[in-house]
Amino acid sequence: MERVAEGVRVDNYLRLVFPSRSENESLARVAVASFVAPLDPTMEELTELKTAVSEAVTNAIIHGYPDEIGEVVVACALHGNRVQVVVEDRGVGIPDVDLAKQPMYTSRPELERSGMGMTIMETFVDKLEVESKPGEGTRVTLIKTFRTAPDVM
């Protein structure tokens, strides 16, 4: 069934909402991997997407809600051989997105974070968009095109 999402027709979609608990990072990763399975991605493509999703969800959990449990939303849409994954939280937000994208930068050094999450995401997807407002949350959009896609019914 096709659905119109933000003016774009999509072949399939998924919306997953869960508490910002670290054990749910693997749930999100597996759900997105299963969602794109009909596209028959290569192992490399699948690993890259799962890694990018893991980084986005982990950032929402660790940085979005440092002192409380909130909700993380993962929304996926397929259009042909392209997937769009949006990871969103309503947590503390990012005061300076450009700074947060810098390799080795972390807002939580006490947790011994590597500061490479945004760089990893950017490396493994075709397009990364980060929108954030302090006190309102963060929205990370990952777009990845797979080399081949079977006919999707």
Side-chain angles (χ1 to χ4, degrees), residues 1-3 5 8-15 34-39 75-80 82-84 152-153:
M1 176 180 198
E2 290 187 356
R3 173 190 162 117
V8 177
R9 283 192 129 358
V10 297
D11 300 319
N12 199 5
Y13 62 93
L14 164 75
R15 183 174 169 86
S34 297
F35 180 73
V36 300
L39 298 180
C76 305
L78 287 179
H79 181 69
R82 178 175 288 181
V83 65
Q84 176 180 354
V152 179
M153 298 187 137

Side-chain angles (χ1 to χ4, degrees), residues 38 46 80 113 125:
L46 191 58
R113 309 302 300 173
V125 297

